[in-house]
Amino acid sequence: MSIQWFPGHMHKARLEMQSALPKVDVVIEIIDARIPYSSANPLLSDLRGDKACLKVLAKSDLADPRMTEEWLEFFERSESTRARAVTTEDVPTIRRLKSAVIGMCPQRQGRLINAMVMGIPNVGKSTIINFLAGRKVAKTGNTPAVTQHQQKVDIGDGVILWDTPGMLWPKVHNPNSGYRLALIGSIKDTAMDYSDVGFFAARHLSQHYPDRLAERFDLEEIAENELGIIEDIGRRRGCLGRNNRVDLERASRILIQEYRSGGLGRLTLETPATMQRERLQTEKAVAEAAEAARLKDEKRKKRFKAKQRAQRKSREMDASRRERRR
């Protein structure tokens, strides 16, 4: 299944960001600590270019702490990027983000610093802004697309935050990223298939965190495939329908909600090595798809030209026959 979700307000938001960025000193990109690669919008990276960027790994209390440290180290290798991990349970850490922003803009000494806050839907952007402002200035919610308009927020010490709507990109080329985004709740549930995402989660967790699955769902052993895992979860949680058959969608919903809530523990779905491997695979797949589309277009043009020549020849022959009859 291809998971795509790009409401109209996201296209408008992209145009507004593009227009405002020349006035911005630093970009604060909020990403999800559980999927730092898949939750980093490639469109935002293209828009900001080499502008200074503070990567904020939100919801780090739901992510594997060892993996979070690995990601922080990875991001800090870039000269124009700094990285911090935060959680809404540790407000002082969030408030120290302001000092990090000021430290990244030494050239703005004594002048206002404009910092644009970017991120995908439902990543915790508005919650972080509210803590930085010390008051509720941005709407929050557990569903994507709560913020749909830009706003400016003065958080003191000469720093102005530009809040922007959560934005995905028109086509998620990497299918694994699409599933991960759906799994953490960055894509509206109405735009995804629970069973499909549940099977993805079962496959990944059985490979990387089998002990967590077994412990949370009281499984004696992990089944050999994702169907077996979902069925076992369904039986343990009473997701049975007619003839004692497991309701796969209900069981998948349970697995997804357990992951989102942290019931399975602190789990990370990707590493820097995963990112580099999948990025190469995606680039290759996109290039191959573009080449296939080009060849298909060339064949279509050839067929069209051949049809035109045949029609022209037919008209010429008809005209010649009419001329001979005269």
Side-chain angles (χ1 to χ4, degrees), residues 1 3 37 56 136 145 156 164 166 168 192 270 279 284 307:
M1 187 179 93
I3 297 175
Y37 163 51
V56 178
K136 188 171 183 178
T164 61
L168 287 171
M192 64 180 243
E270 55 194 19
R279 180 179 285 170
K284 181 180 178 182
K307 185 177 180 181

PDB file of all heavy atoms in Angstrom, residues 1 3 37 56 136 145 156 164 166 168 192 270 279 284 307:
ATOM      1  N   MET A   1       0.838  -1.186   0.000  1.00  0.00           N
ATOM      2  CA  MET A   1       0.000   0.000   0.000  1.00  0.00           C
ATOM      3  C   MET A   1       0.875   1.239   0.000  1.00  0.00           C
ATOM      4  O   MET A   1       1.864   1.301   0.708  1.00  0.00           O
ATOM      5  CB  MET A   1      -0.899   0.004   1.235  1.00  0.00           C
ATOM      6  CG  MET A   1      -1.914   1.121   1.239  1.00  0.00           C
ATOM      7  SD  MET A   1      -2.962   1.051   2.700  1.00  0.00           S
ATOM      8  CE  MET A   1      -2.072   2.142   3.768  1.00  0.00           C
ATOM      9  N   ILE A   3       1.246   4.965   1.127  1.00  0.00           N
ATOM     10  CA  ILE A   3       0.655   5.877   2.101  1.00  0.00           C
ATOM     11  C   ILE A   3       1.013   7.300   1.723  1.00  0.00           C
ATOM     12  O   ILE A   3       2.179   7.690   1.753  1.00  0.00           O
ATOM     13  CB  ILE A   3       1.161   5.549   3.522  1.00  0.00           C
ATOM     14  CG1 ILE A   3       0.712   4.134   3.916  1.00  0.00           C
ATOM     15  CG2 ILE A   3       0.655   6.566   4.529  1.00  0.00           C
ATOM     16  CD1 ILE A   3       1.248   3.668   5.246  1.00  0.00           C
ATOM     17  N   TYR A  37      15.024  10.081  10.571  1.00  0.00           N
ATOM     18  CA  TYR A  37      15.178  10.185   9.115  1.00  0.00           C
ATOM     19  C   TYR A  37      13.829  10.382   8.436  1.00  0.00           C
ATOM     20  O   TYR A  37      13.623  11.344   7.690  1.00  0.00           O
ATOM     21  CB  TYR A  37      15.869   8.926   8.589  1.00  0.00           C
ATOM     22  CG  TYR A  37      15.750   8.684   7.095  1.00  0.00           C
ATOM     23  CD1 TYR A  37      16.067   9.682   6.185  1.00  0.00           C
ATOM     24  CD2 TYR A  37      15.338   7.443   6.603  1.00  0.00           C
ATOM     25  CE1 TYR A  37      15.967   9.447   4.807  1.00  0.00           C
ATOM     26  CE2 TYR A  37      15.236   7.204   5.247  1.00  0.00           C
ATOM     27  CZ  TYR A  37      15.548   8.215   4.351  1.00  0.00           C
ATOM     28  OH  TYR A  37      15.442   7.978   2.998  1.00  0.00           O
ATOM     29  N   VAL A  56      15.696  19.316  16.539  1.00  0.00           N
ATOM     30  CA  VAL A  56      15.165  18.985  17.860  1.00  0.00           C
ATOM     31  C   VAL A  56      14.470  17.636  17.780  1.00  0.00           C
ATOM     32  O   VAL A  56      13.467  17.468  17.087  1.00  0.00           O
ATOM     33  CB  VAL A  56      14.174  20.061  18.341  1.00  0.00           C
ATOM     34  CG1 VAL A  56      13.586  19.672  19.701  1.00  0.00           C
ATOM     35  CG2 VAL A  56      14.857  21.420  18.417  1.00  0.00           C
ATOM     36  N   LYS A 136       0.274  29.427  26.572  1.00  0.00           N
ATOM     37  CA  LYS A 136      -0.323  28.724  25.445  1.00  0.00           C
ATOM     38  C   LYS A 136      -0.577  29.688  24.301  1.00  0.00           C
ATOM     39  O   LYS A 136      -1.490  30.512  24.350  1.00  0.00           O
ATOM     40  CB  LYS A 136      -1.628  28.042  25.856  1.00  0.00           C
ATOM     41  CG  LYS A 136      -2.194  27.146  24.769  1.00  0.00           C
ATOM     42  CD  LYS A 136      -3.360  26.316  25.253  1.00  0.00           C
ATOM     43  CE  LYS A 136      -3.847  25.392  24.143  1.00  0.00           C
ATOM     44  NZ  LYS A 136      -4.966  24.527  24.579  1.00  0.00           N
ATOM     45  N   ALA A 145      -2.270  18.011  11.599  1.00  0.00           N
ATOM     46  CA  ALA A 145      -2.911  19.162  10.944  1.00  0.00           C
ATOM     47  C   ALA A 145      -3.707  20.019  11.915  1.00  0.00           C
ATOM     48  O   ALA A 145      -4.746  20.580  11.559  1.00  0.00           O
ATOM     49  CB  ALA A 145      -3.793  18.710   9.786  1.00  0.00           C
ATOM     50  N   GLY A 156      10.962  36.160  24.100  1.00  0.00           N
ATOM     51  CA  GLY A 156      11.881  36.904  24.962  1.00  0.00           C
ATOM     52  C   GLY A 156      13.330  36.782  24.545  1.00  0.00           C
ATOM     53  O   GLY A 156      13.684  35.994  23.663  1.00  0.00           O
ATOM     54  N   THR A 164       4.889  27.381  12.049  1.00  0.00           N
ATOM     55  CA  THR A 164       4.366  27.025  10.726  1.00  0.00           C
ATOM     56  C   THR A 164       3.559  25.732  10.817  1.00  0.00           C
ATOM     57  O   THR A 164       3.774  24.924  11.722  1.00  0.00           O
ATOM     58  CB  THR A 164       5.511  26.825   9.706  1.00  0.00           C
ATOM     59  OG1 THR A 164       6.346  25.751  10.160  1.00  0.00           O
ATOM     60  CG2 THR A 164       6.347  28.085   9.555  1.00  0.00           C
ATOM     61  N   GLY A 166       2.336  21.945  10.329  1.00  0.00           N
ATOM     62  CA  GLY A 166       3.041  20.693  10.066  1.00  0.00           C
ATOM     63  C   GLY A 166       2.895  20.319   8.605  1.00  0.00           C
ATOM     64  O   GLY A 166       1.807  20.409   8.042  1.00  0.00           O
ATOM     65  N   LEU A 168       3.941  17.584   5.419  1.00  0.00           N
ATOM     66  CA  LEU A 168       4.536  16.416   4.780  1.00  0.00           C
ATOM     67  C   LEU A 168       4.958  16.819   3.374  1.00  0.00           C
ATOM     68  O   LEU A 168       5.013  18.000   3.045  1.00  0.00           O
ATOM     69  CB  LEU A 168       3.538  15.262   4.747  1.00  0.00           C
ATOM     70  CG  LEU A 168       3.284  14.581   6.099  1.00  0.00           C
ATOM     71  CD1 LEU A 168       2.120  13.602   5.990  1.00  0.00           C
ATOM     72  CD2 LEU A 168       4.523  13.849   6.585  1.00  0.00           C
ATOM     73  N   MET A 192      -4.837   5.745   6.000  1.00  0.00           N
ATOM     74  CA  MET A 192      -3.982   4.556   6.078  1.00  0.00           C
ATOM     75  C   MET A 192      -4.825   3.318   6.330  1.00  0.00           C
ATOM     76  O   MET A 192      -5.981   3.408   6.736  1.00  0.00           O
ATOM     77  CB  MET A 192      -2.941   4.716   7.188  1.00  0.00           C
ATOM     78  CG  MET A 192      -3.542   4.817   8.578  1.00  0.00           C
ATOM     79  SD  MET A 192      -2.326   4.993   9.884  1.00  0.00           S
ATOM     80  CE  MET A 192      -2.623   3.489  10.818  1.00  0.00           C
ATOM     81  N   GLU A 270      14.613   3.399  13.273  1.00  0.00           N
ATOM     82  CA  GLU A 270      15.638   3.542  12.236  1.00  0.00           C
ATOM     83  C   GLU A 270      16.916   4.109  12.835  1.00  0.00           C
ATOM     84  O   GLU A 270      16.893   4.774  13.871  1.00  0.00           O
ATOM     85  CB  GLU A 270      15.136   4.429  11.091  1.00  0.00           C
ATOM     86  CG  GLU A 270      14.644   5.793  11.534  1.00  0.00           C
ATOM     87  CD  GLU A 270      13.843   6.523  10.475  1.00  0.00           C
ATOM     88  OE1 GLU A 270      13.352   5.882   9.538  1.00  0.00           O
ATOM     89  OE2 GLU A 270      13.712   7.753  10.599  1.00  0.00           O
ATOM     90  N   ARG A 279      18.173   5.608   1.737  1.00  0.00           N
ATOM     91  CA  ARG A 279      18.269   6.776   0.859  1.00  0.00           C
ATOM     92  C   ARG A 279      18.820   6.372  -0.505  1.00  0.00           C
ATOM     93  O   ARG A 279      18.298   6.797  -1.539  1.00  0.00           O
ATOM     94  CB  ARG A 279      19.163   7.835   1.508  1.00  0.00           C
ATOM     95  CG  ARG A 279      19.319   9.093   0.681  1.00  0.00           C
ATOM     96  CD  ARG A 279      20.197  10.100   1.401  1.00  0.00           C
ATOM     97  NE  ARG A 279      19.488  10.732   2.505  1.00  0.00           N
ATOM     98  CZ  ARG A 279      20.080  11.498   3.415  1.00  0.00           C
ATOM     99  NH1 ARG A 279      21.386  11.690   3.362  1.00  0.00           N
ATOM    100  NH2 ARG A 279      19.373  12.070   4.364  1.00  0.00           N
ATOM    101  N   LYS A 284      17.735   5.231  -6.181  1.00  0.00           N
ATOM    102  CA  LYS A 284      17.803   4.309  -7.313  1.00  0.00           C
ATOM    103  C   LYS A 284      16.413   4.002  -7.846  1.00  0.00           C
ATOM    104  O   LYS A 284      16.179   4.019  -9.073  1.00  0.00           O
ATOM    105  CB  LYS A 284      18.495   3.014  -6.883  1.00  0.00           C
ATOM    106  CG  LYS A 284      18.642   1.992  -8.011  1.00  0.00           C
ATOM    107  CD  LYS A 284      19.330   0.719  -7.512  1.00  0.00           C
ATOM    108  CE  LYS A 284      19.427  -0.317  -8.639  1.00  0.00           C
ATOM    109  NZ  LYS A 284      20.048  -1.577  -8.155  1.00  0.00           N
ATOM    110  N   LYS A 307       0.906   7.234 -36.024  1.00  0.00           N
ATOM    111  CA  LYS A 307      -0.522   7.361 -36.339  1.00  0.00           C
ATOM    112  C   LYS A 307      -0.767   8.593 -37.197  1.00  0.00           C
ATOM    113  O   LYS A 307      -1.557   8.543 -38.165  1.00  0.00           O
ATOM    114  CB  LYS A 307      -1.327   7.445 -35.041  1.00  0.00           C
ATOM    115  CG  LYS A 307      -2.831   7.468 -35.247  1.00  0.00           C
ATOM    116  CD  LYS A 307      -3.545   7.486 -33.909  1.00  0.00           C
ATOM    117  CE  LYS A 307      -5.065   7.518 -34.109  1.00  0.00           C
ATOM    118  NZ  LYS A 307      -5.758   7.550 -32.795  1.00  0.00           N
TER     119      LYS A 307
END
